[in-house]
Amino acid sequence: MTLSEELVWRGFVNQSTFKDIKSLDGKKWTFYHGYDASADSQAVGNLAAMMADKVFMRHGCTAIILAGGATSLIGDPGGKDSERILQSEATIANNVSKAELQFRIVFSDQKFEIVNNLSWTKNLKVLDFLRDVGKHFSMTPLVQRDYIAKRLGEGGSGISYTEFSYTILQGMDYLHLYDKYKCNLQLGGSDQWGNCLSGVDLVRKARGAEVQALTLPLVIDKSTGKKFGKSEAGAIWLDANKTSVYQFYQFWLNTTDESVEDYLKVFTELDRPVIEKLMKEFNADKASRSAQKTLAYETTKIVHGKERADSVMRITESLFGAGRFSDLNAKDIDLLKAELVSVDVKPDEQLAKVLVRAQLASSNSEALRFIASNAVTVNDEKVDASNEYPFHKGSNLLKRGKNQFAIVDI
């Protein structure tokens, strides 16, 4: 597939300055894509944008990944009904450093440049900014932009000069990157269209050059209608300290049948024949959840590496019947302990008491009923009243019903 064909097929095309998206083909673009640092981790919505960047990289384009150390100090007013709370310089600097680490992981198989817009704005003088940049912007189109007009209109919360200036700062980023790298394409989310145009217009007015912009659709969870964003409740983060590798894997594994094909295109690098074959098999047997399993594994591998993806896949299989607990290694068990209740048990402690301590039963009598009804499993083996002490030395998987688990250490 050509670059434009792959972008369209994967669903990465929204608005564009190109008259025909096929104009992307046959040229090695130098593009930049900016990421804000309003949180100490990027989220899965940002991962979608990174995967779009990787499409361009695979097609031989030069990538500049911008960490918004300066613009994050201001806060993008787009999509917000009220003024953002400004964060400290130290907080933003920490967020930028963590973002850069995540970029290096996701883009590890590609060549790219990381820049921070604070490096060319921190010593900028106000008069220079107003004369060299501000003079190229007309107030009329700026105040007519949807997010600004909404804030200024009747019932709006108003907008400060600080947030109003955000789009000018972002436009200046494009001008700087054009001057230094001959950058000629900006990528951004669909909510960044106005800011992208600020850069296109500024480069044209200040340098007499034609540059382009392309925005990507925001990825929407079809089951909730909400976007994948940092500010959304239940955000899924790329940092394993905020969303564990296991939780990350489970998130994708629980993707609805309606969304899984779209997510395979966006969040994996599997090519069209592979995805089409997979979806054909999945549609013939949806109970297998083969598409969700592939999505979970491939996406986890990109963000957390193959070793962790393999580990969490083995863990999931051992918990839900497709694998055995005895097949897990020490690292797998350590990862699992971080997710489940873990209890230390004396060699002579009764199973019913262990169930209560492991929070799998509310009382000894309830625990005995679970045992009598064959609802308890230890290390993949059903336990009944005749087998009161089924544990072995070391770590054991205690299971009640289909999806209640704990780790028991002897």
Side-chain angles (χ1 to χ4, degrees):
M1 283 191 285
T2 65
L3 173 56
S4 66
E5 287 172 341
E6 183 170 1
L7 290 170
V8 171
W9 174 71
R10 290 191 184 274
F12 284 140
V13 175
N14 186 40
Q15 295 164 296
S16 171
T17 53
F18 296 104
K19 292 181 179 179
D20 185 344
I21 196 65
K22 293 180 181 178
S23 300
L24 279 167
D25 301 332
K27 184 175 181 179
K28 302 302 182 185
W29 299 88
T30 297
F31 74 92
Y32 97 89
H33 200 156
Y35 292 82
D36 78 32
S38 59
D40 58 1
S41 174
Q42 300 294 298
V44 293
N46 305 114
L47 178 61
M50 295 180 204
M51 298 305 291
D53 296 339
K54 294 190 80 172
V55 173
F56 279 88
M57 294 178 191
R58 290 198 301 271
H59 284 267
C61 298
T62 300
I64 302 168
I65 305 302
L66 185 149
T71 39
S72 297
L73 287 169
I74 302 302
D76 184 359
K80 300 297 177 183
D81 294 327
S82 59
E83 195 85 4
R84 289 175 182 261
I85 298 174
L86 296 181
Q87 301 185 72
S88 69
E89 292 185 27
T91 296
I92 295 299
N94 176 65
N95 294 350
V96 166
S97 66
K98 291 187 174 181
E100 289 178 348
L101 289 174
Q102 291 172 348
F103 297 148
R104 296 189 189 283
I105 291 170
V106 175
F107 299 133
S108 61
D109 58 342
Q110 299 289 345
K111 183 179 179 181
F112 64 100
E113 181 93 15
I114 292 183
V115 298
N116 182 346
N117 55 13
L118 187 62
S119 66
W120 59 82
T121 55
K122 62 182 178 181
N123 295 322
L124 183 64
K125 296 179 180 179
V126 174
L127 288 178
D128 292 340
F129 174 70
L130 293 175
R131 287 175 60 85
D132 299 338
V133 179
K135 69 177 182 179
H136 294 294
F137 286 86
S138 169
M139 290 291 292
T140 303
L142 291 182
V143 298
Q144 290 175 345
R145 289 191 179 167
D146 290 344
Y147 65 90
I148 293 177
K150 183 178 180 181
R151 295 269 288 271
L152 293 177
E154 185 177 351
S157 62
I159 188 168
S160 69
Y161 180 74
T162 298
E163 284 199 343
F164 183 81
S165 301
Y166 181 94
T167 190
I168 301 175
L169 280 176
Q170 186 166 321
M172 190 175 68
D173 290 342
Y174 204 161
L175 180 62
H176 174 84
L177 296 175
Y178 172 81
D179 287 342
K180 185 171 182 178
Y181 299 100
K182 291 302 175 187
C183 178
N184 53 5
L185 176 64
Q186 180 184 0
L187 305 184
S190 60
D191 56 350
Q192 292 295 305
W193 178 239
N195 294 331
C196 291
L197 291 181
S198 290
V200 171
D201 291 342
L202 179 58
V203 173
R204 176 176 54 81
K205 292 176 180 177
R207 300 292 183 264
E210 182 181 351
V211 294
Q212 307 295 337
L214 172 69
T215 63
L216 321 170
L218 296 179
V219 180
I220 302 297
D221 183 340
K222 290 183 177 179
S223 63
T224 64
K226 295 181 178 180
K227 69 177 183 177
F228 289 166
K230 294 190 185 77
S231 60
E232 299 301 315
I236 304 299
W237 305 96
L238 306 193
D239 186 340
N241 293 316
K242 293 172 73 71
T243 298
S244 72
V245 182
Y246 175 82
Q247 292 165 346
F248 187 85
Y249 185 92
Q250 296 302 316
F251 170 77
W252 300 108
L253 199 60
N254 290 321
T255 298
T256 62
D257 293 348
E258 294 75 21
S259 297
V260 69
E261 183 174 6
D262 289 344
Y263 293 176
L264 282 165
K265 293 175 182 178
V266 170
F267 293 104
T268 80
E269 294 181 278
L270 300 176
D271 61 22
R272 187 170 188 167
V274 171
I275 291 178
E276 288 180 347
K277 181 176 184 293
L278 175 62
M279 290 308 301
K280 183 178 181 180
E281 294 170 352
F282 169 70
N283 287 323
D285 179 19
K286 291 187 176 181
S288 70
R289 300 191 66 77
S290 56
Q292 284 90 345
K293 291 176 183 177
T294 301
L295 172 67
Y297 178 77
E298 293 294 329
T299 308
T300 304
K301 184 170 66 173
I302 289 169
V303 174
H304 296 294
K306 185 177 186 301
E307 182 179 355
R308 284 184 170 188
D310 288 341
S311 178
V312 77
M313 180 175 66
R314 287 192 297 269
I315 288 169
T316 300
E317 290 177 346
S318 74
L319 292 179
F320 297 102
R324 297 187 63 80
F325 183 73
S326 58
D327 293 333
L328 301 185
N329 60 38
K331 288 184 178 179
D332 296 339
I333 293 173
D334 285 343
L335 193 154
L336 187 55
K337 283 181 177 180
E339 304 299 329
L340 304 180
V341 172
S342 182
V343 294
D344 292 323
V345 173
K346 296 177 181 179
D348 58 350
E349 192 165 352
Q350 291 183 336
L351 176 59
K353 291 183 178 180
V354 176
L355 282 165
V356 174
R357 289 185 55 206
Q359 301 175 27
L360 299 181
S362 59
S363 65
N364 279 358
S365 58
E366 183 180 53
L368 290 170
R369 288 197 300 273
F370 288 146
I371 295 169
S373 62
N374 292 318
V376 179
T377 302
V378 174
N379 300 330
D380 309 309
E381 300 295 334
K382 287 287 185 181
V383 177
D384 57 32
S386 65
N387 186 8
E388 268 292 287
Y389 195 75
F391 304 114
H392 61 65
K393 187 176 181 180
S395 294
N396 300 259
L397 178 65
L398 178 61
K399 180 177 179 181
R400 193 261 290 174
K402 292 184 178 181
N403 55 12
Q404 300 292 316
F405 309 96
I407 296 293
V408 174
D409 283 320
I410 306 297

